[in-house]
Amino acid sequence: MSNKKNRKISFYFRLLLFYFWFFFFIGIGGTFIIFYAASKGYLGTLPSTKDIENPIMEVGSEVYDTNGFLLGKFFSENRTLITYQKLPKNLVNALIAKEDIRFKHHSGIDAKSLLRAIFSLGKKGGGSTISQQLAKLLFTGPSAKNKLQRMHQKLLEWVMAIELEKRYTKEEIITMYYNKFDFLYNAKGIETAAHTYFNKKSSELNLGECATLVGMLENPSLYNPKLYPNRAKKQRNLVLYQMKKYDFINNRRYKDELKKPVKINFKIQKKDFELLTYYGEFLKKEIQEALDDYEKKTGQKLNLYSSGLKIYTSIDAKMQDYAEKSVKKHLSQLQILFNNSQKKNKNAPFLNITPEKTKRILLSAMHRTQLYQDLRQKGISEEKIIETFKKPQNTKLFTWNGYKKVFISPWEFIRYQKSIIQAGLISIEASTGYIKAWVGGVDFNYFQYDHVAKTQRQVGSVFKPILYAAAINELHYTPCTRISNEKFHLGKWSPRNSNGKYGGYLTLKDGLALSVNTISARLISQITPGPVINLARKMGIVSLIPQHPSIALGSADLTLYEMTGAFNTFTNYGINVRPSILVKIEDEYGKLIKEHIDFSSRQVFSEEIAYIMLKLMQGVVQYGTAKRLHKYNFFVGDIAGKTGTTNENSDGWFIGMIPNLTTGIWVGWEDRFAHFESLKLGQGANMALPIWAYYMRSLYKDSSLIYHEKLLFKKPENYHLDNCEEDDNSDKEKNKNILKNVIDFDENLNPESQIKTDESFNLENGSKNDDQ
């Protein structure tokens, strides 16, 4: 009986042993087959060898000014890469202690942790190594909710972890993991996270801060110190416990750290690093053109937002700051005068239009808002949307002293926005065309529309120098050529002078300095609009210029970018250079991608003609419509310029030139129907010229810059002063009655708060006719 029983036990034992080894080898074989199938991509597409060796780590492109100062970044992910050497030791130790204590000994998969996870059904951790977690970040993405899909993801992560371990050192894997992880709030990577949560570099993090950030790795939303400080503290303490457990810190330090609260210094980095500025779109266009050219030549495609490029611009951060401050200084004063002038205007800020026209303007603005677009997408009717827009709500309003919170309706908010005076300023280096400063508006946070390259407005008399240059070029006139100041008629077009005085003759120099309309009208009648338009095109103006004689007085709608670039042709002695902002591009390794953009320069007219025009425009400053510059102590040095004012004072212009810099300024409102009623306040010499004065005064005072009062325009060798030019003073005496009141300064007014009447305009028969 006993032997039979023993034989029976032995049989079952051998059978059990057989099945054990059978299933063991089946399991081993199955695992091998699964891994083999996964590694060959049979179970799902795997990254290529190239992708593994060069994993995607999107890094924004950094933008620098001409002196190497970081202006900002273009990025889809706000990430700054960091090297292993810059990671604090506590950050590395905390990661290993919390996530993968055998990290330095395995080859991508920790068998012990994996078995523990399997037998505990995941209750004691998922068994993922740091290498597997990196594989997930780089290749498989967020965890699938479906268990079978998640198992499939895990298989791929195992394979990828092994592949990563083959190609990278342990230090490189840790570095990539920290650089790739998303800590929320646009904080991609450990360096940005350190700045976001603690406002310091990652290398400066203390032990508690390192533990807090490592605690977030498990779930950055669940253990976020900003959202859930108590939960984040418990998680931090868990990381500290793991560090003590594995002897990375001693018991005393562990207890000391537990007593400390979780202190964060939260600061979202987007505004600090993203290039949010008016010239951003223009710069991006130039960069993309350069990258497209590079791709055609090399076949390599680079991305502005993710390739980690180094972009060097011509912008001078100091000049940009001076320009922005000058705009704010003058417009904040001008805004007070405008607001005071509107107190009795029931239709403020609009003048001389019907309530129906006002409603159409506001409706048009409403249709462009994001709120309107969102409501339309929800299927809400136009009537209901208007009702919504007329309901008051808490709103942030722009003011010249910072924003303020008010309770108004979106409808009134639109009207308020249209009352704010806007401006554009662009400063161009004469010889290269490099843009040194670009102010496209008064505050990018509230008004994103760029008034330098996008806004097309009537240019008024600021266009006249192009007319005069065409006359000198075509008809070989000189500054001393005399033109009749009698009343002028061309069909139904009858431009008038601002002071209503006619008769006698004026030289070209006086005609331009005093912006006399009859002189400009006679010039356009002599040469016709065609040559003027052709010259404007050669000087870089691409916008439509109508074939009408009224262009002589500024009827065309052009951009400040175009006009300032055209005027720079005078400063650059007849050579037109396309204004550019991009200097060079380097890739993430410092390799030169593009340097010295093609300036597309061409000789438009001779040096002699350019110098004649500079002399004429010096007259504008010395005794003409820009004479008030003397109020700002501009008495020495060569300065040329031209003012401009348009119909109903809607636009004020001034373009000023010194030998190595051309700066253009436009001032107006978002809508043409908002304007000063008084020419005294609305002329270009009041609206735009003071900004130029403040700006140039700042440049002159800064000894680190190359702009000063000793600079002189270069006289061409072949230029000979006409004898008649020496008789200017006698000409003025002869024409004293004609010129009377063309410039009407009130010497007792303070130029920084009030403006003197020195120019005007006239509009008849649909033509623009202004004296500046």
Side-chain angles (χ1 to χ4, degrees):
M1 282 297 285
S2 178
N3 288 335
K4 287 183 179 181
K5 191 173 183 179
N6 288 336
R7 283 197 298 270
K8 191 174 182 180
I9 291 172
S10 178
F11 170 77
Y12 284 120
F13 177 75
R14 288 194 301 271
L15 186 65
L16 182 63
L17 198 62
F18 169 79
Y19 279 115
F20 172 79
W21 287 112
F22 175 79
F23 285 113
F24 176 80
F25 285 113
I26 286 290
I28 294 293
T31 301
F32 175 80
I33 291 171
I34 290 172
F35 267 90
Y36 179 79
S39 65
K40 293 297 181 181
Y42 300 145
L43 301 183
T45 305
L46 292 175
S48 64
T49 301
K50 182 180 178 182
D51 290 334
I52 298 172
E53 292 178 349
N54 298 282
I56 295 174
M57 196 77 69
E58 292 191 357
V59 182
S61 296
E62 295 178 339
V63 182
Y64 296 91
D65 85 334
T66 188
N67 298 308
F69 175 79
L70 180 63
L71 296 172
K73 291 182 181 180
F74 291 121
F75 58 82
S76 55
E77 294 185 352
N78 187 15
R79 177 182 284 110
T80 300
L81 297 184
I82 190 172
T83 62
Y84 182 82
Q85 288 71 26
K86 291 185 178 180
L87 291 173
K89 188 176 180 180
N90 283 324
L91 200 61
V92 175
N93 292 340
L95 175 64
I96 293 173
K98 173 68 170 64
E99 299 294 328
D100 189 1
I101 191 59
R102 282 175 289 279
F103 172 69
K104 294 183 178 179
H105 306 291
H106 62 64
S107 298
I109 298 176
D110 184 356
K112 185 175 180 180
S113 295
L114 180 61
L115 290 172
R116 182 193 67 221
I118 292 172
F119 287 119
S120 68
L121 300 177
K123 292 179 181 179
K124 294 184 178 181
S128 289
T129 64
I130 293 173
S131 303
Q132 286 174 248
Q133 292 179 43
L134 176 59
K136 179 181 178 182
L137 290 176
L138 292 174
F139 305 118
T140 62
S143 300
K145 294 182 179 179
N146 182 285
K147 289 186 178 181
L148 287 176
Q149 290 177 342
R150 182 59 193 138
M151 286 177 63
H152 176 250
Q153 280 184 330
K154 276 284 187 183
L155 284 172
L156 298 181
E157 287 165 16
W158 289 340
V159 173
M160 287 301 98
I162 294 170
E163 293 295 326
L164 288 170
E165 291 270 359
K166 287 179 183 178
R167 289 169 170 81
Y168 298 102
T169 65
K170 296 291 185 178
E171 290 79 9
E172 288 172 330
I173 288 173
I174 285 179
T175 305
M176 279 193 288
Y177 181 65
Y178 268 131
N179 279 330
K180 183 66 178 176
F181 196 85
D182 183 354
F183 289 87
L184 303 185
Y185 295 108
N186 208 32
K188 307 292 178 73
I190 191 67
E191 183 67 13
T192 312
H195 281 283
T196 300
Y197 291 100
F198 302 105
N199 198 24
K200 60 172 66 174
K201 296 177 182 178
S202 59
S203 59
E204 299 170 344
L205 294 171
N206 60 39
L207 174 59
E209 292 163 347
C210 289
T212 301
L213 291 176
V214 169
M216 292 177 68
L217 298 175
E218 187 176 329
N219 189 321
S221 178
L222 189 65
Y223 301 113
N224 193 289
K226 176 173 171 51
L227 297 174
Y228 309 108
N230 292 331
R231 198 181 293 168
K233 184 178 180 180
K234 290 180 180 179
Q235 185 72 350
R236 180 206 66 177
N237 293 347
L238 174 61
V239 175
L240 292 171
Y241 172 78
Q242 291 293 106
M243 294 182 74
K244 178 183 76 74
K245 177 180 176 182
Y246 295 113
D247 297 324
F248 288 116
I249 58 175
N250 58 39
N251 191 57
R252 181 180 177 183
R253 191 170 186 193
Y254 166 66
K255 290 182 177 179
D256 288 342
E257 289 295 327
L258 289 183
K259 297 174 184 177
K260 297 178 182 178
V262 173
K263 287 185 178 180
I264 64 171
N265 185 1
F266 187 79
K267 189 176 183 182
I268 291 180
Q269 299 300 298
K270 184 172 183 179
K271 275 193 177 181
D272 294 331
F273 288 99
E274 188 173 6
L275 190 68
L276 296 172
T277 186
Y278 290 102
Y279 58 78
E281 288 302 316
F282 183 88
L283 176 58
K284 281 191 279 188
K285 183 180 178 183
E286 286 201 332
I287 294 168
Q288 196 56 54
E289 288 173 359
L291 296 183
D292 289 344
D293 289 342
Y294 182 75
E295 185 179 2
K296 288 177 184 178
K297 292 176 183 177
T298 66
Q300 182 181 359
K301 187 175 181 63
L302 295 172
N303 188 288
L304 171 61
Y305 296 96
S306 60
S307 295
L309 304 174
K310 298 284 191 297
I311 297 161
Y312 297 89
T313 72
S314 58
I315 291 291
D316 188 307
K318 292 175 74 174
M319 294 174 69
Q320 180 71 22
D321 183 57
Y322 291 144
E324 291 173 1
K325 287 178 178 176
S326 299
V327 168
K328 182 177 180 179
K329 180 176 181 178
H330 179 60
L331 293 196
S332 60
Q333 297 168 350
L334 208 59
Q335 188 74 55
I336 294 171
L337 297 177
F338 179 71
N339 293 345
N340 289 338
S341 73
Q342 297 294 305
K343 285 182 177 179
K344 295 182 180 179
N345 179 16
K346 294 181 180 179
N347 198 30
F350 309 112
L351 288 170
N352 306 324
I353 59 172
T354 63
E356 290 74 21
K357 175 69 175 176
T358 300
K359 185 177 180 180
R360 287 198 298 272
I361 291 172
L362 297 177
L363 282 173
S364 177
M366 180 190 78
H367 291 156
R368 294 192 297 269
T369 65
Q370 188 60 50
L371 175 59
Y372 177 85
Q373 300 298 330
D374 293 341
L375 294 174
R376 286 298 289 177
Q377 282 189 345
K378 292 177 181 178
I380 300 174
S381 67
E382 184 82 1
E383 291 181 359
K384 291 289 185 182
I385 291 176
I386 293 175
E387 287 180 15
T388 300
F389 265 76
K390 292 189 176 181
K391 291 179 181 178
Q393 60 185 42
N394 289 318
T395 307
K396 279 186 177 181
L397 279 189
F398 164 85
T399 77
W400 291 101
N401 296 314
Y403 79 87
K404 69 175 181 180
K405 292 183 178 180
V406 296
F407 191 66
I408 63 170
S409 68
W411 185 264
E412 287 303 314
F413 174 76
I414 291 172
R415 185 187 286 267
Y416 174 83
Q417 293 281 88
K418 288 186 175 292
S419 73
I420 302 299
I421 303 176
Q422 299 293 328
L425 180 152
I426 182 172
S427 211
I428 302 172
E429 190 173 74
S431 59
T432 63
Y434 276 144
I435 297 165
K436 309 303 291 182
W438 179 310
V439 183
V442 297
D443 190 323
F444 193 82
N445 292 317
Y446 294 89
F447 307 95
Q448 281 83 43
Y449 196 78
D450 174 41
H451 293 297
V452 171
K454 290 185 178 180
T455 297
Q456 291 182 310
R457 298 293 280 258
Q458 290 175 10
V459 291
S461 286
V462 81
F463 189 82
K464 286 179 180 177
I466 298 175
L467 164 70
Y468 275 61
I472 293 170
N473 192 42
E474 297 287 327
L475 306 175
H476 308 293
Y477 282 172
T478 73
C480 309
T481 300
R482 292 170 174 79
I483 307 293
S484 171
N485 186 42
E486 296 292 343
K487 287 187 177 181
F488 179 82
H489 304 279
L490 184 62
K492 294 182 179 180
W493 188 51
S494 302
R496 295 178 295 158
N497 290 335
S498 60
N499 62 355
K501 295 183 181 297
Y502 305 90
Y505 289 82
L506 294 174
T507 64
L508 282 189
K509 187 173 182 180
D510 286 343
L512 185 64
L514 306 172
S515 210
V516 181
N517 286 340
T518 51
I519 305 300
S520 297
R522 280 190 166 82
L523 290 177
I524 196 76
S525 71
Q526 291 172 18
I527 60 175
T528 71
V532 180
I533 295 172
N534 290 338
L535 181 61
R537 292 277 177 262
K538 292 177 182 178
M539 295 174 75
I541 294 174
V542 297
S543 297
L544 175 66
I545 302 176
Q547 287 271 356
H548 192 281
S550 65
I551 63 171
L553 308 180
S555 61
D557 289 343
L558 307 175
T559 67
L560 179 62
Y561 171 84
E562 290 174 303
M563 286 304 303
T564 310
F567 266 60
N568 196 58
T569 309
F570 299 127
T571 324
N572 200 27
Y573 302 101
I575 300 174
N576 177 255
V577 185
R578 181 175 66 89
S580 175
I581 204 168
L582 179 61
V583 176
K584 69 176 179 178
I585 303 174
E586 294 177 353
D587 68 10
E588 59 183 324
Y589 306 108
K591 178 185 175 183
L592 195 63
I593 302 300
K594 183 77 173 182
E595 184 177 29
H596 201 68
I597 301 302
D598 179 15
F599 293 122
S600 304
S601 62
R602 58 178 171 177
Q603 190 82 39
V604 175
F605 39 72
S606 68
E607 284 187 51
E608 289 73 28
I609 291 177
Y611 188 72
I612 289 172
M613 289 308 304
L614 290 171
K615 295 290 285 184
L616 293 182
M617 286 186 280
Q618 281 181 276
V620 176
V621 173
Q622 290 164 358
Y623 65 92
T625 57
K627 181 182 176 183
R628 74 186 51 195
L629 270 179
H630 301 323
K631 300 286 184 179
Y632 298 90
N633 299 319
F634 286 95
F635 293 108
V636 296
D638 279 359
I639 298 173
K642 188 69 188 81
T643 55
T645 309
T646 64
N647 191 39
E648 292 191 321
N649 313 314
S650 295
D651 309 277
W653 296 76
F654 181 70
I655 301 179
M657 297 163 283
I658 60 173
N660 56 355
L661 195 69
T662 304
T663 302
I665 297 162
W666 166 87
V667 174
W669 285 260
E670 185 180 304
D671 193 276
R672 296 175 192 261
F673 296 102
H675 53 80
F676 280 112
E677 191 165 20
S678 161
L679 177 63
K680 181 179 181 180
L681 297 175
Q683 59 189 300
N686 180 53
M687 295 222 291
L689 180 146
I691 295 174
W692 190 91
Y694 293 142
Y695 173 59
M696 291 307 302
R697 212 158 60 181
S698 297
L699 299 190
Y700 283 174
K701 288 180 180 178
D702 192 332
S703 59
S704 68
L705 300 175
I706 58 173
Y707 312 103
H708 51 82
E709 297 172 340
K710 295 180 181 180
L711 295 171
L712 300 174
F713 291 117
K714 183 181 68 177
K715 182 179 178 180
E717 293 181 4
N718 298 326
Y719 179 80
H720 300 288
L721 183 68
D722 293 319
N723 291 332
C724 61
E725 199 171 329
E726 296 173 351
D727 299 328
D728 279 349
N729 290 332
S730 60
D731 288 334
K732 293 186 188 73
E733 189 63 32
K734 291 176 183 177
N735 294 299
K736 190 173 182 180
N737 185 54
I738 298 173
L739 304 180
K740 187 179 180 182
N741 296 327
V742 171
I743 301 177
D744 183 21
F745 286 108
D746 182 342
E747 299 295 339
N748 296 318
L749 286 177
N750 178 356
E752 296 192 1
S753 61
Q754 283 279 23
I755 278 308
K756 303 77 172 168
T757 303
D758 65 348
E759 48 195 23
S760 186
F761 68 91
N762 175 46
L763 177 63
E764 286 193 6
N765 302 318
S767 313
K768 286 81 179 175
N769 302 289
D770 62 333
D771 72 331
Q772 47 181 13

